[in-house]
Amino acid sequence: MSFDSLGLDTKILQAIHEQNYTEPTPIQQQAIPVILSGKDLMASAQTGTGKTAGFGLPILQKLHEMQLKTAVKAEPRKGKRRLYALILAPTRELAAQIGENIRDYSRYLAIRSLVVFGGVSINPQMMKLRGGVDILIATPGRLLDLVHQNAVDLSSVKVLVLDEADRMLDMGFIHDIRRVIAKLPKKRQNLMFSATFSDEIKALAQTILKSPESVAVAKDNSASEQITQYVHRVDKRRKRELLSYLIGKNQWQQVLIFTRTKYGANHLAEQLTKDGIKASAIHGNKSQGARTKALADFKSGQIRALVATDIAARGLDIELLPHVVNYELPQVAEDYVHRIGRTGRAQNQGQAISLVCIDELSQLKSIEKLLKTSIPEIFTQGFEVDPRIKAEPVKKATKRAPAKRRGVDKASTSKKNQNSMKQSSHHTYSKTN
Ligand code: AMP
């Protein structure tokens, strides 16, 4: 199937061509005709499937057709431009990425789009809204702020998109979403995208969508087949050393690493930097400016390792990202699917490695149960797990610096640790059995 057969304007086809998209992805093949027909849509698709173009292209097509009909020319008079499509996304990063894509696809159209999210000053956003926009991409909280300040009028919206609806619910946006919807005209087209389909999502869909068409790509909760997954068993205290070793030995130039906590992300980024691997952390406590810079540096290759927490990385679109490392497994098995979905996007191959210590074996089990497969194990000589270490509940990160810790450990090599020392030249054990 080619893009030509989807009924898109040549100006849109030209822009797609320049993105080097040769054929529509499965979600695009299914969703574009439904959206063009004007029906509501419930789509099961993760980020990485090409879903943004799946809703973006038909929205642009419909808007373009409407502009031609109403003979609105390239630069309509100020204030005449009325909001046509509202796209809601859970995170600033996702909103920014959708905005970037929409701009790319609409470069030959007379369409104005704008991205608004919290964490940055509201005034410039209000200024930009003054001239009117056709497509607004927003996080729910900031959108409501703008509505309350009368900076945006939602009464003309023809198409509503809820992207990553599951994550919006997880992040507690349900009330904000309902408040936004109450301000929209009753007659409109609704498009909902979600990676997973809980009962809560289905209930939300029932209240928002009218006789929707359903489309789905890939099996529910399954990982993309273009991603090669591995588990590397390793003792917790040697994870950082192993990670630096793997990055160096395999010469990974761009690797996204997941940690469980914000503290863990910062700490690991610092340690990797000490190991000579340029790294930054990205998480909710960082300012928007710092997050944008870290992401830009990562995309441009100025930093090799980006360390992220689940929420911060949600929806990140990094073209050709080859490696994802789970430094710690997520507590919720579904998050594993989201994490590794950052690689192997569209037509590319990717590799996801999970560094799993003994305390995480039960999490690994739940992930494999969800995937309905076992993930193959790989090993690295010199990093074998110590069979004497027993599982214990996942502990809070220690605040001691590694260099200091080595010193402390050596100094405190007590009798009870001496046996362990004999058998391993790599490290000492403060954790006794
Ligand atoms: P998304 O799921 O929308 O985040 O898209 C994931 C990635 O796939 C993005 O980098 C898109 O630029 C890319 N992409 C979208 N559609 C296509 C296509 N038809 N062919 C190749 N790449 C695509």
Side-chain angles (χ1 to χ4, degrees):
M1 194 186 201
S2 78
F3 275 109
D4 297 349
S5 58
L6 287 171
L8 301 170
D9 190 274
T10 50
K11 289 178 177 163
I12 300 177
L13 292 176
Q14 174 66 19
I16 298 171
H17 180 70
E18 286 171 18
Q19 293 296 309
N20 296 321
Y21 297 177
T22 47
E23 58 177 76
T25 63
I27 188 71
Q28 291 161 6
Q29 292 180 24
Q30 295 180 58
I32 292 174
V34 174
I35 300 174
L36 288 176
S37 78
K39 287 191 186 126
D40 279 10
L41 176 76
M42 170 92 235
S44 163
Q46 296 163 19
T47 296
T49 53
K51 67 182 166 64
T52 313
F55 62 76
L57 299 177
I59 287 177
L60 291 173
Q61 175 66 27
K62 283 153 63 90
L63 175 56
H64 179 59
E65 282 171 16
M66 195 186 82
Q67 286 181 332
L68 291 178
K69 259 192 227 150
T70 51
V72 176
K73 289 280 171 330
E75 271 304 323
R77 273 185 295 131
K78 264 197 172 174
K80 281 283 171 195
R81 212 176 267 265
R82 304 199 69 203
L83 186 58
Y84 177 83
L86 175 65
I87 301 168
L88 292 180
T91 62
R92 322 169 211 191
E93 279 80 10
L94 183 62
Q97 272 161 197
I98 297 170
E100 226 171 85
N101 288 350
I102 298 278
R103 258 199 314 281
D104 287 339
Y105 306 146
S106 64
R107 61 191 303 182
Y108 299 113
L109 302 173
I111 282 170
R112 205 181 287 166
S113 58
L114 181 68
V115 182
V116 292
F117 45 68
V120 294
S121 164
I122 198 167
N123 289 336
Q125 297 177 351
M126 290 173 71
M127 295 284 285
K128 286 187 186 135
L129 279 164
R130 230 172 254 173
V133 297
D134 300 299
I135 300 176
L136 186 62
I137 302 117
T139 52
R142 177 51 60 97
L143 178 67
L144 281 173
D145 290 345
L146 287 162
V147 168
H148 292 145
Q149 306 233 27
N150 286 327
V152 59
D153 174 13
L154 300 179
S155 68
S156 57
V157 170
K158 301 270 185 296
V159 187
L160 169 72
V161 180
L162 290 182
D163 199 9
E164 298 201 345
D166 51 349
R167 185 53 50 146
M168 290 217 253
L169 292 189
D170 288 352
M171 291 174 72
F173 284 139
I174 183 70
H175 300 297
D176 285 353
I177 292 172
R178 295 215 182 278
R179 272 181 217 125
V180 170
I181 287 176
K183 305 208 178 295
L184 298 175
K186 292 242 160 6
K187 196 169 166 298
R188 57 171 200 268
Q189 186 178 17
N190 302 289
L191 315 173
M192 191 158 142
F193 287 78
S194 185
T196 51
F197 276 93
S198 61
D199 290 344
E200 219 186 342
I201 283 285
K202 285 179 195 148
L204 180 70
Q206 266 180 0
T207 61
I208 296 176
L209 307 175
K210 292 201 182 90
S211 336
E213 292 268 327
S214 294
V215 303
V217 293
K219 298 143 263 166
D220 266 1
N221 294 332
S222 69
S224 159
E225 269 145 33
Q226 296 178 113
I227 305 169
T228 321
Q229 302 169 63
Y230 298 110
V231 161
H232 196 311
R233 288 286 316 278
V234 60
D235 294 333
K236 189 172 7 181
R237 57 176 40 244
R238 300 201 64 203
K239 281 189 175 185
R240 195 217 82 235
E241 195 189 341
L242 174 62
L243 178 61
S244 292
Y245 175 79
L246 289 174
I247 294 175
K249 178 179 151 268
N250 299 308
Q251 300 186 0
W252 292 343
Q253 295 308 323
Q254 203 179 36
V255 50
L256 179 64
I257 301 156
F258 285 93
T259 58
R260 246 176 351 101
T261 63
K262 297 169 195 172
Y263 170 77
N266 278 341
H267 190 58
L268 183 59
E270 280 165 21
Q271 297 210 308
L272 288 174
T273 306
K274 277 186 198 151
D275 285 347
I277 296 163
K278 282 194 180 148
S280 277
I282 181 168
H283 54 68
N285 280 8
K286 295 232 161 181
S287 72
Q288 185 55 33
R291 289 162 68 163
T292 307
K293 181 170 185 318
L295 189 58
D297 287 350
F298 186 57
K299 284 185 174 180
S300 70
Q302 289 192 54
I303 56 170
R304 267 169 100 178
L306 187 66
V307 191
T309 54
D310 286 291
I311 298 277
R314 179 76 193 180
L316 277 191
D317 176 21
I318 299 145
E319 226 158 307
L320 303 174
L321 175 67
H323 303 285
V324 167
V325 172
N326 288 308
Y327 189 76
E328 287 146 340
L329 286 180
Q331 302 289 61
V332 182
E334 278 83 3
D335 281 344
Y336 175 86
V337 181
H338 290 304
R339 285 179 176 192
I340 71 164
R342 302 308 98 222
T343 183
R345 326 234 358 212
Q347 262 76 355
N348 306 311
Q349 292 288 324
Q351 192 188 54
I353 296 188
S354 300
L355 307 186
V356 179
C357 72
I358 194 162
D359 302 336
E360 296 169 303
L361 289 179
S362 63
Q363 285 152 267
L364 178 62
K365 234 184 186 168
S366 338
I367 290 165
E368 292 186 325
K369 198 169 150 212
L370 177 74
L371 297 176
K372 299 191 183 78
T373 180
S374 62
I375 306 171
E377 265 193 53
I378 51 166
F379 307 90
T380 303
Q381 222 177 3
F383 287 93
E384 291 80 9
V385 291
D386 185 319
R388 291 159 303 175
I389 295 179
K390 299 275 188 295
E392 56 178 63
V394 176
K395 271 202 307 194
K396 288 218 169 72
T398 158
K399 289 200 168 100
R400 279 186 296 172
K404 217 168 160 192
R405 188 193 304 158
R406 271 199 296 277
V408 170
D409 283 352
K410 236 177 238 154
S412 67
T413 304
S414 60
K415 273 184 198 131
K416 71 179 174 192
N417 270 345
Q418 275 169 5
N419 280 343
S420 318
M421 288 292 291
K422 261 184 232 155
Q423 286 166 45
S424 167
S425 56
H426 290 288
H427 67 302
T428 57
Y429 302 89
S430 57
K431 186 183 206 172
T432 48
N433 302 329

